[in-house]
């Protein structure tokens, strides 16, 4: 290849190009950054010898495209901003975040390796990998590292990564399932065949067998076992090589050592007419391990259903209306704010928006878990992914697809699944140290048996390596956490931080915001008090007419009532109230009467000091220019299930508090109804945060529930926090979890599930430790043959997984 040609692809290199990669000890010219990236990756993953073999290719041929994997060959395509638009999320301060689907993850050690390698890369802010879903959430600085660089870094340690989409995940699940079943099939058939030959060899050892017949059976056994070892057992061999290369002991290491020793020692015994062969143990060992790992994989796939269900809840197409209201079918992800779409009965709503025309019912079970449809009318907001049940409706799209409620929930769910709680990290660390201890123990056991019974030493050590493989220990926590996360989302609760589930278990004090949390945030008229002899209904009609132009939550309490049509010149005074005029006939002619409704200091006539009714609550005054006409008591409605929730919390030993910015006295009324003694009203965000800090300083673990913009600081400051349905965006970002349902009652069930989750984690860890404490001495004493140790280890892992899946019931 000439000096003027790209060393990788053979295309010409111009004088202005300065791309170079050191290959086979020399700097080589490259024509573009793409070839440079691929060549660097080939060198980095140990395939540098490719370039030596390439020299033997016919002149003019360019085998690079044939040898380099497709996903590496097109690596730089991922850096195209247009291509990234659909799967890269922009974070504050210019950072970016993506969810990647990783192929090749088999155990907790894979997760540790990926996270350690990526977090060490310059420009990567954060990387969390979920073993259960094979998803990695990565945030990075685009100025310091490109997306192709991240994927290349993942390839460097032996894994394949690609931007996540639900279609790819489903294809990956199907591919993984098919490959696993094929490996099990090969191992199962091999095990059955080799066992028949092994029975003959065992019987021959007792009854006598012709040497030629024995040799023939051994060679046939070796022939059948070879594809089992090299194909079915390849996941364990690859995992061990990858772990050793990166100086980290995973559970695949003792398994691969046991497999390799058993297979090659049996081959050697066959070639040299040695005393024993254990091809049957190899086949059964691989078969049982694969069955156990397959069942674990199926549990992982089951836990991914929530994410895929959310993804498929988005409609793929939408009926976009033009200026003449003619519908045109367009991709739903191309809708922009302001587009009008028609949604027929039985169709999925394609995006977040407001109903412009039509009344219907919407099934929000995908979002909240509540199966009963909710009535929606003109002006109401609807969420993309929910189901229109009854009548056609016309919507105006309000958000871009990437910023929709459903997209946000998917990102939060992926982040929660990728994060790992402290218990997970602890179990993973224990498993890593345990592998090292097992290897040291195996050397000691082998040394002992070598001096006491050399012919048994190897197979006893083989059993020790297999039976103590810490699969169950590594699976104990992640399977339970993943199952709990999926179950919580079905209950209408989305955990958005790694510590949420663990934090809920430790809660001692529950602090409620009042408005919008314990109450519905929907004010209603509770009482009317006349200050003159004027009829109450007439006063209410005047108030309704004045408030008809305002969308303030208090003003909406008057909207359902009959309005006086003669009130004119309506004007809203910000943060004060509403005023208008009413023409009335008098003996001397028509006079204009100035009416005001709102805060007493605004509505009261000049020189009049009104006396508010002596009753706690939010009071609104109606007056004209001469006198006070009447008072209206407006109260927020208490949630129907708030009483039961507070009662359950107090019975379970948790202290409840109300922390409200309301100064009307309504917070005290709500506290009295609910039996809550600790209540603070008229609190600013700073006061709320100070109250939370004082509880924490006294040793309390605080759970905060809120919904408003002013609750964001205190939600972030609590030990664990939950934003209720309909909370502001900032509150949702600050919170550790989001209650999707309009009901508070699920919170009690959520806390019960969290307790059950950690009860199951304790059971799993206890079983995993107890199993190893019992199995290790028995194996070291020679009581457990290799095939039985494989069965025991698989059964132990399966028990842990099945126990965790009880959370999904």
């Amino acid at each position: 290849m000439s000096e003027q040609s790209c060393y990788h692809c053979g295309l010409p290199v111009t004088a202005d190009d300065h791309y170079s990669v050191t290959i086979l000890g020399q700097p080589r010219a490259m024509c573009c950054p793409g070839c440079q990236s691929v060549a660097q990756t080939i060198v980095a993953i140990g395939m540098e010898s490719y370039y030596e073999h390439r020299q033997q290719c016919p002149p003019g041929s360019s085998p690079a495209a044939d040898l380099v994997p497709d996903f590496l060959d097109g690596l730089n395509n991922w850096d195209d901003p247009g291509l990234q638009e659909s799967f890269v999320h922009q974070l504050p301060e210019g950072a970016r975040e993506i969810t990647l689907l990783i192929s090749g993850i088999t155990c907790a050690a894979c997760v540790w390796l990926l996270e350690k390698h990526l977090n060490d890369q310059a420009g990567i802010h954060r990387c969390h990998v979920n073993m259960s879903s094979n998803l990695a959430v990565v945030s990075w600085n685009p100025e310091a590292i490109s997306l192709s660089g991240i994927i290349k870094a993942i390839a460097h340690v032996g894994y394949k990564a690609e931007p996540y989409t639900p279609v790819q995940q489903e294809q990956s699940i199907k591919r993984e399932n098919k490959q696993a079943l094929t490996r099990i099939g090969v191992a199962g058939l091999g095990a059955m065949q080799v066992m028949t030959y092994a029975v003959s060899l065992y019987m021959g050892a007792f009854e006598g067998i012709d040497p030629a017949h024995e040799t023939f059976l051994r060679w046939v056994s070796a022939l059948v076992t070879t594809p089992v070892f090299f194909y079915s057992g390849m996941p364990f061999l690859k995992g061990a090589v990858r772990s050793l290369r990166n100086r980290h002991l995973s559970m695949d290491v003792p398994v691969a050592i046991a497999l390799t020793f058993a297979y090659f020692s049996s081959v050697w015994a066959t070639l040299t007419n040695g005393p024993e062969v254990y091809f049957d143990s190899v086949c059964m060992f691989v078969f049982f391990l694969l069955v156990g790992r397959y069942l674990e994989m199926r549990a992982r796939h089951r836990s991914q259903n929530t994410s895929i269900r959310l993804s498929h809840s988005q409609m793929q197409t939408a009926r976009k209306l033009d200026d003449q209201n003619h519908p045109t079918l367009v991709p739903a992800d191309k809708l922009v704010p302001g587009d009008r779409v028609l949604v027929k009965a039985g169709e999925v709503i394609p995006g977040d928006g407001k109903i412009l025309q039509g009344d219907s019912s919407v099934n929000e079970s995908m979002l909240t878990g509540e199966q009963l449809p909710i009535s929606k009318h003109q002006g109401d907001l609807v969420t993309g992914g929910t189901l229109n049940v009854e009548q056609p409706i016309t919507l105006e799209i309000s958000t871009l697809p990437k910023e929709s409620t459903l997209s946000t929930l998917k990102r939060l769910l992926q982040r929660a699944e990728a994060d790992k709680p402290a218990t997970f990290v602890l179990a993973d660390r224990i498993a890593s140290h345990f592998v090292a201890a097992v290897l040291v123990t195996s050397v000691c056991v082998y040394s002992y048996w070598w001096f006491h019974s050399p012919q048994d030493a190897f197979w006893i050590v083989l059993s020790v390596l297999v039976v103590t493989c810490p699969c169950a220990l590594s699976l104990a926590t992640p399977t339970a956490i993943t199952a709990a996360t999926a179950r919580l989302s079905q209950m209408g609760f989305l955990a958005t931080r790694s510590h949420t589930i663990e934090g809920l278990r430790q809660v001692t004090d529950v602090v409620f915001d009042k408005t919008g949390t314990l109450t519905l945030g929907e004010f209603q008229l509770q009482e009317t008090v006349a200050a003159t002899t004027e009829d109450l209904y007439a006063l209410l009609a005047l108030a309704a007419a004045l408030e008809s132009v305002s969308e303030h939550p208090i003003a909406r309490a008057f909207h359902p009532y009959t309005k006086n049509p003669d009130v004119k010149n309506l004007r809203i005074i910000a943060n004060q109230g509403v005023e208008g005029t009413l023409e009335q006939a008098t003996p001397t002619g028509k006079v204009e009467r100035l009416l005001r409704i709102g805060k007493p200091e605004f509505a009261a006539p000049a020189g009049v000091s009104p006396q508010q009714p002596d009753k706690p609550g939010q009071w609104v005054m109606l007056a004209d220019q001469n006198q006070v006409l009447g008072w209206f008591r407006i109260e927020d409605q208490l949630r129907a299930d708030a009483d039961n929730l507070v009662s359950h919390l107090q019975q379970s030993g948790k202290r409840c508090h109300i922390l409200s910015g309301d100064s009307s006295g309504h917070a005290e009324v709500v506290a009295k109804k609910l039996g809550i003694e600790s209540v603070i009203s008229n609190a600013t965000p700073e006061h709320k945060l100070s109250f939370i800090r004082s509880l924490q300083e006294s040793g309390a673990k605080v759970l905060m529930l809120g919904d408003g913009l002013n609750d964001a600081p205190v939600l972030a400051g609590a030990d664990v926090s939950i934003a209720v349905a309909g909370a502001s965006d900032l509150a949702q970002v600050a919170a550790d979890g989001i209650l999707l349902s309009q009901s508070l009652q699920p919170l009690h069930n959520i806390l019960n599930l969290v307790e059950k989750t950690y009860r199951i984690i304790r059971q799993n860890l206890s079983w995993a430790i107890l199993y190893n404490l019992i199995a290790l001495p028995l194996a070291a004493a020679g009581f457990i043959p290799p095939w039985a140790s494989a069965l025991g280890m698989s059964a132990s892992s399966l028990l842990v997984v099945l126990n965790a899946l009880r959370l999904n019931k």
Side-chain angles (χ1 to χ4, degrees):
M1 189 171 291
S2 71
E3 292 291 325
Q4 301 302 315
S5 299
C6 175
Y7 191 78
H8 177 70
C9 71
L11 294 177
V13 177
T14 64
D16 296 332
D17 290 335
H18 300 286
Y19 307 108
S20 176
V21 178
T22 300
I23 301 174
L24 301 175
Q26 297 182 26
R28 310 290 184 174
M30 300 287 155
C31 65
C32 66
C35 285
Q36 183 186 41
S37 295
V38 175
Q40 286 174 339
T41 302
I42 290 174
V43 173
I45 63 178
M47 294 174 61
E48 191 174 10
S49 60
Y50 150 69
Y51 290 103
E52 291 179 323
H53 298 303
R54 190 186 61 173
Q55 306 300 331
Q56 305 167 9
C57 296
S61 66
S62 178
D66 297 329
L67 187 73
V68 181
D70 292 339
F71 83 101
L72 285 179
D73 199 23
L75 206 59
N76 289 77
N77 293 335
W78 294 120
D79 296 330
D80 181 7
L83 192 61
Q84 290 186 8
E85 223 173 88
S86 58
F87 50 77
V88 173
H89 178 58
Q90 301 289 337
L91 296 178
E93 301 179 359
R96 295 179 184 174
E97 184 178 78
I98 188 172
T99 300
L100 295 172
L101 182 62
I102 311 291
S103 300
I105 293 177
T106 58
C107 68
C110 300
V111 173
W112 176 90
L113 175 60
L114 280 164
E115 290 183 345
K116 185 177 186 302
H117 183 66
L118 286 180
N119 285 322
D120 287 343
Q121 303 297 311
I124 292 184
H125 297 162
R126 172 180 175 273
C127 170
H128 284 294
V129 182
N130 181 355
M131 188 181 77
S132 297
S133 62
N134 288 3
L135 297 181
V137 177
V138 183
S139 59
W140 77 98
N141 177 6
E143 300 296 325
I145 189 171
S146 63
L147 178 56
S148 62
I150 295 172
I151 297 176
K152 184 175 70 174
I154 293 172
H156 175 67
V157 288
Y159 301 88
K160 178 182 175 182
E162 54 189 331
Y164 164 77
T165 64
V167 174
Q168 285 174 323
Q169 188 175 27
E170 283 190 310
Q171 290 174 347
S172 176
I173 287 174
K174 291 177 181 177
R175 186 167 58 248
E176 190 177 6
N177 188 66
K178 180 180 178 181
Q179 189 175 55
L181 287 174
T182 304
R183 292 188 192 277
I184 289 173
V186 171
L189 289 172
M192 287 189 292
Q193 290 295 320
V194 174
M195 278 302 297
T196 60
Y197 308 143
V199 169
S200 298
L201 289 171
Y202 293 149
M203 295 299 294
F206 290 104
E207 303 292 336
I209 187 173
D210 182 70
H213 191 198
E214 181 182 20
T215 302
F216 173 75
L217 289 176
R218 287 188 175 189
W219 276 107
V220 174
S221 298
L223 184 65
V224 175
T225 305
T226 297
V228 175
F229 177 77
F230 284 103
Y231 175 70
S232 297
M234 188 54 65
F236 310 106
L237 302 178
K238 278 186 176 180
V241 170
R242 186 163 49 219
S243 297
L244 293 173
R245 183 191 300 161
N246 291 280
R247 297 181 178 88
H248 180 68
L249 294 176
S250 73
M251 65 186 70
D252 283 332
V253 173
V255 170
I257 292 173
L259 274 177
T260 302
F261 282 0
Y263 174 75
F264 284 106
S265 64
S266 296
V267 171
W268 179 254
T270 301
L271 291 171
T272 60
N273 292 321
E276 296 289 346
V277 294
Y278 286 88
F279 291 117
D280 56 328
S281 295
V282 173
C283 291
M284 292 185 68
F285 183 20
V286 173
F287 176 71
F288 287 135
L289 286 174
L290 286 175
V291 169
R293 185 164 286 188
Y294 176 75
L295 293 171
E296 296 160 14
M297 181 193 72
R298 293 298 297 169
R300 290 203 322 266
H301 292 170
R302 187 174 173 186
S303 71
Q304 294 171 38
N305 287 339
T306 302
S307 298
I308 294 177
R309 179 170 58 87
L310 279 176
S311 300
H312 285 316
S313 295
Q314 288 180 300
M315 195 174 184
Q316 301 301 311
T317 59
R319 291 185 177 85
K320 181 180 175 182
L321 299 176
D322 58 20
D323 294 338
Q324 286 75 40
N325 287 331
H326 295 147
T328 304
L329 214 58
V330 299
D333 58 3
K334 298 299 181 185
L335 294 173
V336 297
D339 284 347
R340 295 181 304 119
V341 296
L342 174 66
V343 183
K344 295 184 176 181
E347 290 184 345
V348 175
I349 295 172
D352 294 356
K354 181 173 71 174
I355 298 178
L356 298 178
Q357 184 178 348
D359 298 328
S360 187
S361 294
V362 175
N363 188 326
E364 297 183 342
S365 60
M366 174 279 306
L367 193 65
T368 66
E370 297 174 0
Q371 296 298 324
L372 290 177
I374 299 172
S375 296
K376 297 288 183 179
H377 308 285
Q378 185 175 336
D380 288 347
L381 299 177
V382 291
T383 303
T386 55
L387 181 67
N388 180 28
V389 177
E390 292 180 345
Q391 302 292 334
I393 52 176
T394 301
L395 308 177
E396 180 182 352
I397 298 298
S398 60
T399 60
L400 290 169
K402 283 176 60 176
E403 299 169 359
S404 68
T405 302
L406 198 59
S407 296
T408 301
L409 293 180
K410 285 193 295 181
R411 283 198 304 272
L412 292 173
L413 182 60
Q414 289 161 8
R415 184 178 69 186
E417 289 180 338
D419 284 352
K420 293 187 291 295
T423 312
F424 185 110
V425 177
L426 177 62
D428 192 20
R429 190 180 300 121
I430 291 172
S432 179
H433 293 315
F434 187 80
V435 170
V438 166
L439 294 178
V440 172
T441 302
S442 300
V443 173
C444 297
V445 170
Y446 183 80
S447 301
Y448 172 82
W449 283 102
W450 176 255
F451 290 105
H452 291 79
S453 180
Q455 69 276 13
D456 297 325
F458 175 77
W459 302 109
I460 290 174
V461 169
L462 188 63
S463 295
V464 169
L465 288 170
V466 175
V467 80
T468 55
C469 181
C471 294
L473 188 61
S474 294
L475 287 169
T477 299
T479 50
I481 293 293
T482 302
T485 301
R487 179 65 185 132
L488 287 172
S489 65
Q490 294 169 7
M491 295 167 62
F493 177 75
L494 192 65
T496 63
R497 297 286 195 280
S498 61
H499 68 271
T500 304
I501 296 178
E502 194 161 2
L504 286 171
R505 180 174 63 104
Q506 301 169 347
V507 166
T508 60
D509 290 66
V510 182
V511 179
F512 296 94
D513 174 49
K514 179 182 72 72
T515 305
T517 303
L518 288 173
T519 64
L520 295 172
E522 299 174 359
F523 289 89
Q524 290 188 1
L525 179 63
Q526 297 296 320
E527 186 177 358
T528 303
V529 176
T532 64
T533 57
E534 201 157 344
D535 182 68
L536 291 178
Y537 292 103
L539 291 177
L540 187 55
L542 291 174
L546 289 167
E547 297 284 22
S548 64
V549 295
S550 175
E551 289 298 322
H552 190 279
I554 290 179
R556 286 200 291 268
F558 293 92
H559 289 181
Y561 297 98
T562 304
K563 303 169 182 61
N564 188 323
D566 296 327
V567 178
K568 309 292 184 184
N569 304 320
L570 297 171
R571 188 164 68 99
I572 299 173
I573 310 300
N575 298 319
Q576 298 295 324
V578 184
E579 68 178 20
T581 57
L582 176 66
E583 282 194 358
Q584 288 185 317
T586 66
T588 58
K590 290 186 177 181
V591 248
E592 274 197 351
R593 186 181 180 191
L594 180 65
L595 298 172
R596 283 183 173 176
I597 187 171
K599 293 181 178 179
E601 57 269 25
F602 162 72
V608 175
S609 299
Q611 185 65 37
Q612 182 174 301
D614 187 18
K615 196 170 187 180
Q618 183 85 31
W619 288 95
V620 176
M621 176 196 287
L622 174 66
D624 60 17
Q625 67 269 38
N626 299 315
Q627 60 182 338
V628 176
L629 301 178
W631 295 86
F632 304 94
R633 183 165 62 88
I634 311 297
E635 283 189 2
D636 198 355
Q637 293 300 294
L638 193 66
R639 290 184 185 266
D641 48 14
D643 191 11
N644 286 335
L645 173 63
V646 171
S647 176
H648 284 309
L649 291 174
Q650 290 176 336
Q651 287 174 10
S652 62
K654 294 177 175 59
R655 297 182 293 269
C656 295
H657 314 262
I658 293 180
L659 194 54
S660 175
D662 188 356
S663 60
S664 67
H666 189 228
E668 287 76 8
V669 174
V670 169
K672 187 175 181 180
K673 287 181 180 178
L674 298 177
I676 298 176
E677 296 180 359
S678 173
V679 54
I680 295 179
S681 57
N682 197 24
T684 64
E686 292 78 11
H687 291 154
K688 289 184 177 183
L689 188 56
S690 176
F691 178 74
I692 293 293
R693 295 288 187 229
S694 66
L695 286 177
Q696 292 171 330
E697 288 171 3
S698 67
K701 297 294 183 180
V702 180
L703 166 62
M704 174 71 193
L705 284 88
D707 74 316
L709 190 67
N710 62 337
D711 293 324
V714 71
L715 286 170
D719 294 283
V720 60
S721 55
I722 296 175
V724 299
S728 66
D729 291 342
L730 188 58
Q732 292 189 21
V733 170
D736 301 312
I738 300 173
L739 198 61
L740 302 174
S741 170
Q742 294 293 332
S743 171
L744 287 177
Q745 187 57 36
L747 182 61
H748 177 61
N749 298 329
I750 289 165
L751 294 174
N752 287 341
L753 181 68
V754 168
E755 285 296 328
K756 184 178 179 182
T757 299
Y758 278 87
R759 193 161 59 246
I760 283 179
I761 289 175
R762 286 193 295 270
Q763 291 170 0
N764 285 350
L765 289 173
S766 300
W767 162 250
I769 293 171
L770 179 64
Y771 162 76
N772 282 289
L773 289 176
I774 294 174
L776 179 58
L778 291 176
F783 293 121
I784 304 178
W787 66 267
S789 63
L791 180 60
M793 190 209 66
S794 298
S796 174
S797 300
L798 180 58
L799 180 63
V800 165
V801 172
L802 292 177
N803 192 35
L805 288 180
R806 291 194 297 123
L807 292 167
N808 282 323
K809 290 184 179 180

